């Protein structure tokens, strides 16, 4: 998502170029061993522990919802957790996995504000328990031209919305994410306007596919994937799916969103996956599935609404070239 640079033109590391898990684990053990022999309580020891904690992966019980299982091959966990966009931790794909151990996903609260009859602040456990957790396998298509298939854990965002009772003035939902320079080194840079914010129109947010997400691969969200809570909107480009949310605000007017503010002619508010509407600097007709399609292999075709045709009814009569 670098501005004014075509990501397809940048040599990005293929997953095979990223440190394999066993090497990575050995490195961690190595750090832990050195740290153990050094004075206990040293910064290195703390670093090794924090990293191990961040990667621990507490299991989350969830029932698979067969109505939402993409038939595609699921992306390897290692690829899904080591090829990320999370600019609060750096702009390279491997930066979030390397740096996000400083994020503290507990304690965590999400405040629900604005045009609702029941504004409230929920801690992460209450949020998780608000509705039964489901596992859903969704495609995630990034505007940069790559995609993954991930088993997310969460429940329809509509479950939360119904419980807080939006007023008739609530036309949009705004998602505001954490921007704490102490935990997130990337927010000191000016690459985006912080906090990272995103938004949906109310009917989009109420669509059952929109997922309030607290886990993936049967465990709590790893820090680099947006712990402890994010949204996943699978028919839209990945940048609509804000990570590490701290506020959900119901508003009358279309909210400003980080990428739209930074490059309005490149990243629209709607951002529906659409192979017929190219990004000004590159085509959206095809995509590379991480872990499957190599740099030199033919890319696969991108599907309208990322293969979720049911959502077309949300956009009847709208010119999707204008509202990109
Ligand atoms: N959320 C925050 N807070 N910061 C970010 O930089 N990047 C977005 C989105 N959510 C981003 C974010 C982009 S561009 C994509 S493609 C997806 O997260 C990537 O999600 P993943 O790393 O879990 O695959």
């Amino acid at each position: 998502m670098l501005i004014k640079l075509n990501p397809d033109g940048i040599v990005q590391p293929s997953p095979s170029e990223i440190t394999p898990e066993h090497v990575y684990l050995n490195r961690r053990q190595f750090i832990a061993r050195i740290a153990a022999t050094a004075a206990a309580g040293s910064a290195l020891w703390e670093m090794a522990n924090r990293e191990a904690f961040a990667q621990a992966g507490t299991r989350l019980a969830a029932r698979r919802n067969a109505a939402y299982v993409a038939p595609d091959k699921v992306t390897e966990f290692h690829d899904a957790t080591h090829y990320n966009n999370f600019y609060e931790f750096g702009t390279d794909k491997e930066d979030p996995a390397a740096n996000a151990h400083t994020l503290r996903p507990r304690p965590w609260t999400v405040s629900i504000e604005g045009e609702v009859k029941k504004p409230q602040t929920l801690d992460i456990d209450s949020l998780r328990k608000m509705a039964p957790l489901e596992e859903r396998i969704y495609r995630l298509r990034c505007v940069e031209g790559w995609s993954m298939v991930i088993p997310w854990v969460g429940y329809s965002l509509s479950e939360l919305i119904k419980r807080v009772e939006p007023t008739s003035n609530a036309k949009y939902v705004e998602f505001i994410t954490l921007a704490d320079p102490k935990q997130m080194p990337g927010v000191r840079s000016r690459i985006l306007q912080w906090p990272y914010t995103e938004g949906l129109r109310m009917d989009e947010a109420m669509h059952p596919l929109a997922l309030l997400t607290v886990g993936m691969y049967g465990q709590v969200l790893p820090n680099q994937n947006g712990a402890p809570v994010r949204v996943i909107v699978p028919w839209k480009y990945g940048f609509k799916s804000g990570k590490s949310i701290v506020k959900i605000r119901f508003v009358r007017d279309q909210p400003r969103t980080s990428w739209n503010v930074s490059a309005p002619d490149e990243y629209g508010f709607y951002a529906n996956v659409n192979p017929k509407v190219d990004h000004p600097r590159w085509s959206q007709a095809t995509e590379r599935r991480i872990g499957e399609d190599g740099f030199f292999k033919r890319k696969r075709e991108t599907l309208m609404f990322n293969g979720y045709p049911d959502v077309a009814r949300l956009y009847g009569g709208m010119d999707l070239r204008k509202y990109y």
Side-chain angles (χ1 to χ4, degrees):
M1 300 270 305
L2 290 179
I3 301 166
K4 308 298 175 207
L5 286 174
N6 180 347
D8 281 344
I10 295 171
V11 182
Q12 293 172 339
S14 73
S16 61
E17 289 165 335
I18 296 171
T19 315
E21 189 168 28
H22 65 277
V23 175
Y24 172 75
L25 288 175
N26 284 343
R27 209 179 279 162
R28 268 173 47 202
Q29 282 155 5
F30 177 68
I31 293 173
R33 224 173 290 140
I34 299 183
T37 51
S42 73
L44 197 55
W45 175 244
E46 199 194 323
M47 193 179 90
N49 269 332
R50 263 208 319 257
E51 190 182 359
F53 178 74
Q55 305 279 331
T58 310
R59 308 296 302 168
L60 264 190
R63 195 179 50 85
R64 180 171 287 191
N65 185 335
Y68 300 105
V69 173
D72 312 33
K73 181 170 172 276
V74 168
T75 300
E76 294 289 332
F77 177 78
H78 186 267
D79 288 338
T81 54
H82 289 76
Y83 192 90
N84 301 105
N85 276 340
F86 200 170
Y87 277 17
E88 289 85 334
F89 295 103
T91 54
D92 287 342
K93 295 287 177 272
E94 65 272 31
D95 284 347
N99 300 333
H101 57 84
T102 51
L103 176 70
R104 291 190 307 274
R106 246 174 202 287
W108 191 277
T109 56
V110 177
S111 77
I112 303 184
E113 315 177 344
E115 295 288 351
V116 279
K117 292 190 193 126
K118 295 185 175 167
Q120 50 199 283
T121 299
L122 292 161
D123 65 36
I124 189 64
D125 294 317
S126 318
L127 197 72
R128 269 186 203 142
K129 285 186 205 134
M130 200 165 243
L133 293 179
E134 293 180 359
E135 181 177 71
R136 300 181 181 187
I137 303 182
Y138 282 167
R139 294 180 206 96
L140 179 95
R141 167 65 157 82
C142 181
V143 73
E144 294 167 332
W146 52 266
S147 61
M148 297 195 193
V149 181
I150 298 182
W152 300 109
V153 175
Y155 52 79
S156 289
L157 178 60
S158 63
E159 297 286 346
L160 171 74
I161 296 179
K162 279 186 244 159
R163 284 169 176 79
V164 298
E165 298 182 26
T167 70
S168 57
N169 290 327
K171 306 287 185 230
Y172 294 88
V173 191
E174 187 179 14
F175 303 95
I176 297 139
T177 71
L178 184 72
D180 177 1
K182 288 199 209 93
Q183 299 182 58
M184 301 171 138
V187 303
R188 292 192 199 105
S189 92
R190 298 235 195 117
I191 191 139
L192 275 181
Q193 182 179 288
W194 313 107
Y196 190 102
T197 52
E198 258 309 331
L200 293 172
R201 216 172 55 192
M202 198 63 179
D203 57 344
E204 297 179 314
M206 288 298 288
H207 192 283
L209 273 170
L211 193 71
L212 191 82
T213 306
V214 294
M216 61 195 273
Y217 297 84
Q219 61 183 60
V220 296
L221 281 173
N223 286 358
Q224 61 265 42
N225 294 88
V229 58
R230 69 181 298 182
V231 285
I232 294 292
V233 193
W235 71 94
K236 292 178 179 282
Y237 293 117
F239 70 87
K240 294 297 291 181
S241 299
K243 296 175 168 184
S244 304
I245 293 170
V246 289
K247 249 181 223 167
I248 300 179
R249 199 184 282 152
F250 291 78
V251 292
R252 288 168 192 244
D253 302 318
Q254 184 175 302
R256 286 156 62 83
T257 58
S258 290
W259 279 105
N260 184 242
V261 167
S262 73
D265 49 341
E266 300 196 13
Y267 308 106
F269 176 80
Y270 283 93
N272 291 315
V273 175
N274 189 341
K276 295 194 204 97
V277 177
D278 289 339
H279 181 277
R281 289 179 288 120
W282 63 88
S283 160
Q284 293 294 14
T286 58
E287 67 198 56
R288 185 169 58 87
R289 184 71 44 90
I290 299 299
E292 291 181 54
D293 308 334
F295 273 99
F296 303 108
K297 228 172 119 184
R298 219 172 137 232
K299 293 179 177 181
R300 65 186 65 208
E301 287 185 4
T302 289
L303 304 172
M304 187 64 201
F305 297 120
N306 205 19
Y308 299 97
D310 177 62
V311 299
R313 64 187 159 86
L314 300 173
Y315 309 105
M318 276 177 73
D319 177 354
L320 296 180
R321 283 188 180 276
K322 189 169 164 209
Y323 298 101
Y324 54 93

